[in-house]
Amino acid sequence: MGIHKTTEKNLMVFSGRAHPALADEVAAELGTNLVPMQAHSFANSEIYVRFDESVRGCDAFVIQSHVAPVNEWIMEQLIMVDALKRGSAKRITVVLPFYGYARQDKKHRGREPISARLIADMFKTAGADRLLTVDLHTAQIQGFFDGPVDHLMATPILSKHVKEKYGDRQLAVVSPDAGRIKVAEWWSNKLGGVPLAFIHKTRDVTRPNESVANRVVGEVEGRTCILVDDMIDSGGTICQAAEALMKDGSNEVVIAATHPIFSEPAVDRLAKSVATEVIVTNTLPLSDEALAMDKLTQLSIAPLISRAIREVFEDGSVTSMFEGRA
């Protein structure tokens, strides 16, 4: 005869120091609090963490957005996962509102790394059982992690805002390059089947953060163009695309992107751009300068992440949140 005991599942939410405001909002949506944690950096920049409560047997969700300095916050999250593993957490889900190194998902030239795969391998080695992330740069990154990956999409949140504000106008959905046409197609469906266009652009693989918008492919004349992308880094590509649309006769350009990386000089470029509104989510924290920009609208991703966490915790379906697409 053994000892029989029915154990209760215990959801615990943890946050690194990169973007605590988002983690607080996610925890509040779940009706819980973040687990208290001691975290500091030693004089030589090594990171130390310790959780103030027992994590034994818990279903742990570790939230960290990979904002600059990216390497520091990735390392902190890895150390948190290791601490949970050694503290006997039952299941560890790494929540990545923004997945660092996602753009390095393939080799353009010989002797280059595939850093997005390395990140997935490191989380697996640290002890992660599952990844939960938002709008990956390319969907195939899901295959880099040896375990379940829940790929959330911000399209429903962003498109709802666009539909409410611009739904009465003649719209067109525009992809800033040919590679994101599939995402633009879903946007088009969400907005009632509006026309699609894309910007044909060239990029020199030896020069990071630089591309040239060549021409618009598709009918945009007289329309409000919704220019959609997964991220805005330095802002050069998206601002060039907006200019190209206006030159082709677009009435106005609205930019919608999930991840506001906003490296210098993005805020200045966007403020001076021809775009009438820049819609982003809070997957990454924004600077005071960015928040002061009149044309910026920031929507919260917390309800989406918290619902996905609840589905994972309750062994429900994350796919059902996105009409079977996730």
Side-chain angles (χ1 to χ4, degrees), residues 49-64:
V49 302
R50 181 181 183 274
F51 304 116
D52 293 342
E53 295 177 9
S54 171
V55 299
R56 186 178 301 277
C58 80
D59 207 338
F61 293 85
V62 189
I63 304 173
Q64 182 90 299

Side-chain angles (χ1 to χ4, degrees), residues 276-294:
T276 52
E277 186 178 14
V278 179
I279 311 160
V280 297
T281 75
N282 60 343
T283 54
L284 294 164
L286 290 177
S287 66
D288 291 340
E289 183 191 9
L291 289 168
M293 189 167 43
D294 288 340

